[in-house]
Amino acid sequence: MSVTGTRLQPTIFERGRDGRGGGKIPHPPKDALDRIPASARRTTSPALPEMNEPDVVRHYVNLSQLNYAVDTGFYPLGSCTMKFNPKLNEWAARLPGFANLHPLAPDATAQGTLQMLFELETALAEISGMRAVTLQPAAGAQGELTGILMVRAYHRSRGDTARDQVLVPDSSHGTNPATASMAGYTTVTIPSAADGGVDLDAFRAALGPRTAAVMITNPSTLGLFEARIGELLDAVHAAGALAYMDGANLNAILGRFKPGEAGFDVMHFNVHKTFSTPHGGGGPGAGPVGVRETLLPFLPEPRVLREPDGTYRLERTGERPTSIGRMRSFAGNTGVLVRAYAYIRAHGGSGLREVSDDAVLAANYLKSRLAGTYDIPHDRACKHEFVASAATLKKQTGVRTLDIAKRLIDYGYHPPTIYFPLIVEEGMLIEPTETESVETLDAFADALIAIAAEAETTPDLVTGAPHTAPVRRLDEATAARHPNLRWRAMRGAETPCPD
Ligand SMILES: *Cc1c(COP(=O)(O)O)cnc(C)c1O
């Protein structure tokens, strides 16, 4: 175990002892074995570790303590909106009427869930200024694909088949160009202006009869509001193209800016970011998509419909032939949607606006605390996140952003997003969210300032970090490309972590 510290214990397979067992089946019928057809019976025992129950429980609880989570510490991961998730939402999502509903239940027995979905769609439409919303997509990335497939269907429906390009700024999230190419478009990358905003002239030059859509993140992934968004949207529409808004940063603009009213034709929400749901470990999310009138016919099926008598039902397959079809099984990730619904209802309109105002205040506070120590490449008021850079520090000391991120782990913090967006050298994208106290923000700023001082005096301390984590630095390329995730019995000279 060359890369592990003392906090990592042997795996449960290594700790198991034959015959120790644990679970007991109460009163098994005497002919239990005979009831299983001989062909389906195993001849050897499964290769599972055997342990007593307390040791199993301790093993897994101790492993869970190695996790860093928003429930254990500050999590300033930019672009991800790692806010604290109110526990009330967990209660709501676990209500038996939601949690135990069979996904194929007939509409008549699913009225409560259908009503919740309908009302959530209505609330998201109101928040975004869009005409209608689909809750189907399972994540922001799938929402993007849903939106761009609707754009494609729109152009095709008008016989406009020459449009084969999607324009994205160079600060965009990787899912934007990935979405464009999955939908069959060529991505055209537009460089940002010097102030970090969209370069209007460059967009104008690229717009034309081949442009199907532009994808804009607003506020951008630099945490900056696109001040010239109105001019840009006018130019997009004059060229006959549609405007897609990546709504991952909606946490900054709730109650302040409605993309639909500003002229965006389609956008996705990352409800697991903006409207709370524990995320970050790859768990389920939801990426609803809002559209303006023009894209209404193309929404995925089935939509949730409200009948004149006040009951709800799901659209029947083929009922709306213009639909792009299904994007996902059933009605969406309902548990995540219940949490979003609970969050929106608990805050109300003025509460949501406060969420954004506080998120913006926290980000600007943290930015001003770090301004004397790190580079702030775009030094104007930010929205809910900002980019700091260690470029100068690196020149002076050799310490890189990656080293600072690793050293933050020793200080007890989850590092911010690093090296994204790609256009900032040695960048750190920091998003504190609205749920952190000023004491937490100060302690985090103090840690980053202390690390900058260490870079001057004891750079090895920083470049060798983390020193306190159970796992030290991994070879990042190998860890990503050849992850060693499956345990198997090792023999002879084999070691569990081959170099
Ligand atoms: C998170 C994010 C996405 C992708 O959303 P997922 O829900 O993770 O699929 C897209 N764009 C931006 C700017 C994001 O931050």
Side-chain angles (χ1 to χ4, degrees), residues 42-246:
R42 56 187 319 144
T43 50
T44 54
S45 302
L48 293 173
E50 296 188 54
M51 286 172 92
N52 57 357
E53 185 169 326
D55 282 344
V56 174
V57 170
R58 284 174 198 148
H59 178 75
Y60 285 110
V61 171
N62 282 324
L63 274 183
S64 76
Q65 304 298 299
L66 298 176
N67 272 347
Y68 194 95
V70 81
D71 283 356
T72 58
F74 181 49
Y75 213 131
L77 205 55
S79 216
C80 297
T81 309
M82 303 299 285
K83 61 173 72 180
F84 176 77
N85 303 285
K87 299 306 170 213
L88 185 67
N89 302 353
E90 299 305 311
W91 165 82
R94 283 169 175 74
L95 285 172
F98 291 128
N100 297 342
L101 183 67
H102 193 283
L104 291 173
D107 293 343
T109 61
Q111 285 298 301
T113 295
L114 291 175
Q115 180 177 352
M116 182 278 295
L117 296 174
F118 187 88
E119 289 181 10
L120 178 59
E121 284 184 7
T122 310
L124 292 176
E126 167 68 26
I127 287 166
S128 60
M130 290 289 175
R131 174 68 171 63
V133 170
T134 172
L135 302 175
Q136 220 178 86
Q142 205 195 12
E144 289 176 34
L145 183 63
T146 306
I148 295 298
L149 288 179
M150 284 192 272
V151 167
R152 195 177 70 174
Y154 165 82
H155 290 308
R156 281 188 182 166
S157 75
R158 296 155 47 93
D160 189 351
T161 51
R163 299 182 185 272
D164 61 349
Q165 296 179 343
V166 170
L167 314 188
V168 300
D170 59 1
S171 58
S172 78
H173 195 271
T175 48
N176 291 188
T179 290
S181 65
M182 277 188 78
Y185 289 110
T186 306
T187 304
V188 179
T189 306
I190 310 294
S192 297
D195 67 356
V198 289
D199 186 333
L200 209 54
D201 295 335
F203 262 98
R204 280 215 174 93
L207 278 166
R210 292 183 62 185
T211 315
V214 300
M215 297 180 82
I216 302 287
T217 308
N218 193 28
S220 72
T221 58
L222 294 163
L224 302 173
F225 192 81
E226 294 292 1
R228 303 180 71 184
I229 200 69
E231 287 171 76
L232 176 65
L233 294 181
D234 287 347
V236 170
H237 290 136
L242 295 183
Y244 184 100
M245 192 178 106
D246 180 328

